[in-house]
Amino acid sequence: MALIVDVVSIFPGMFSPVLGFGMTGRALAKSVVELHITDLRAHTTDKHRSTDDTPYGGGSGMVMLIEPLTRALSAIEAVRGRGHRMLMSPAGRPLTQSRVRELSRFPHLVLLCGRYEGVDDRILDYIDEEVSLGDFVLSGGELPAMVVIDAIARLLPGVLHNENSCEDESFQNGLLEYPQYTRPADFEGRAVPSVLLSGNHEQIRRWRRQMSLLRTWQRRPELLQQMELSAEDRGLLAATTGRIA
Ligand code: SAH
C-alpha cells in the first residue's frame, strides 16, 4: 500500500522539480509514495491571500497565521483522513535514521512547512510532532519536508534496486558505514585495501565491521557510547585503536 504524504506550503512548486529525480522520482512514478501538495494560499480568506502577519509583542519579521494552516489541515482530513501531522521546525526533535524508519511505517504523513519567523505557536495543539533537521536555521520548511520524504521513500519496499543496500549503511546498525571503493584498484598511488580484493568473504566482513567501528570511534564517539558492543566488536576495535577490549 502506498504511503500517502501531504505537504502544506506557500511554495507548492518547489517539490516536484526536486523529488522527481532518483529514488524519490521512482517512488512517485511507481506510486509507492502518493504525494499531495496543498497550496496554503488556497486556504486564505482575505483579498491579499495573507499567510502571515506581524508578531504580537513586536519585533522583526512576520509570523505565519494559524487559520490558513488549520483550514488546510481540515481540508486534507476531509479527503484523506487526519494523518500523522508534522511541523518542520528548528525547535523540533532532531531527525534520526531510527525515527525515519518508524515514520516509514505510518500510512499517512502530513508535513507543514513554515516560512518567515515561524508559525503561531498555537499550531502545536493541531499537530503531532515538530521535526528538526539539525541545529541550524533555514528560510523555510520545504527543504526539510523534502528531506523527510527522501529519507523515508528510499526505505519503502520496491524503491531501492538492491534491497540489501540499506542494511550496512550509516546509522542502520548504530555505526557509520565502512569505507567503500570501486575501480580503479590503484588511483594515483592510492591502492584499495587488499583485503577487498582477496575474495575472502569472512575477512572482508570482519574488516568492514572493524572500519565501521573505527570510523565511528574517531568521528562520532557518542554513537558508540549508546551501543552494546559484542565481544567480537570490542576485539576488532581494540586491535585497531590500541584500546583495551
Ligand atoms: N524564527 C524561527 C526560525 C524560522 S525559520 C526560530 O528561531 O526558531 C522558518 C521556517 O523554516 C520554520 O518555521 C521551519 O518550518 C523551517 N526551518 C528552519 N530551520 C529548520 C530546521 N533546522 N529544521 C526544520 N525546519 C526548519
Side-chain angles (χ1 to χ4, degrees):
M1 227 185 51
L3 166 65
I4 302 173
V5 179
D6 271 284
V7 178
V8 181
S9 164
I10 59 167
F11 295 127
M14 281 180 77
F15 292 83
S16 64
V18 175
L19 296 176
F21 293 90
M23 279 197 228
T24 49
R26 198 148 63 229
L28 293 169
K30 290 171 123 187
S31 299
V32 174
V33 173
E34 184 189 311
L35 185 63
H36 301 271
I37 314 284
T38 296
D39 182 352
L40 186 61
R41 285 199 202 284
H43 297 278
T44 54
T45 48
D46 64 318
K47 73 167 192 271
H48 302 293
R49 308 181 83 200
S50 311
T51 56
D52 61 314
D53 205 337
T54 53
Y56 280 121
S60 63
M62 301 295 272
V63 174
M64 285 184 91
L65 295 163
I66 191 169
E67 286 173 299
L69 282 165
T70 55
R71 269 199 295 273
L73 288 173
S74 300
I76 290 165
E77 181 167 4
V79 183
R80 286 180 288 283
R82 188 179 181 288
H84 181 72
R85 297 173 174 174
M86 304 158 70
L87 174 66
M88 304 301 116
S89 160
R93 163 153 64 142
L95 191 65
T96 62
Q97 187 63 19
S98 66
R99 185 60 185 153
V100 167
R101 221 172 299 125
E102 287 169 9
L103 290 169
S104 73
R105 299 188 193 110
F106 281 75
H108 181 195
L109 301 173
V110 182
L111 311 180
L112 297 186
C113 306
R115 278 274 156 182
Y116 319 112
E117 286 310 312
V119 184
D120 185 312
D121 213 61
R122 291 169 289 187
I123 193 69
L124 297 184
D125 288 339
Y126 299 83
I127 62 161
D128 300 305
E129 65 172 310
E130 290 177 276
V131 180
S132 170
L133 281 204
D135 294 342
F136 46 83
V137 181
L138 299 164
S139 54
E142 286 77 11
L143 289 170
M146 286 190 259
V147 167
V148 169
I149 294 168
D150 183 300
I152 292 174
R154 59 194 294 286
L155 297 183
L156 297 175
V159 175
L160 213 61
H161 280 316
N162 174 0
E163 300 290 335
N164 290 329
S165 54
C166 277
E167 268 169 30
D168 279 348
E169 83 188 348
S170 293
F171 313 115
Q172 178 66 21
N173 49 24
L175 298 172
L176 302 180
E177 194 181 52
Y178 47 79
Q180 300 261 38
Y181 305 88
T182 185
R183 277 190 283 265
D186 190 301
F187 177 69
E188 297 186 347
R190 293 160 181 84
V192 167
S194 56
V195 59
L196 297 177
L197 310 176
S198 70
N200 183 327
H201 295 296
E202 175 55 17
Q203 267 182 28
I204 292 171
R205 182 195 68 77
R206 284 172 54 85
W207 181 86
R208 286 183 163 163
R209 185 74 188 174
Q210 185 170 44
M211 290 303 116
S212 230
L213 288 159
L214 176 61
R215 218 165 233 201
T216 312
W217 183 74
Q218 288 170 331
R219 301 184 187 183
R220 300 290 303 277
E222 80 283 5
L223 294 178
L224 271 188
Q225 258 141 38
Q226 295 158 19
M227 276 184 72
E228 193 78 46
L229 294 186
S230 67
E232 182 191 43
D233 282 346
R234 287 199 302 275
L236 287 171
L237 192 56
T240 175
T241 64
R243 256 180 21 159
I244 313 287

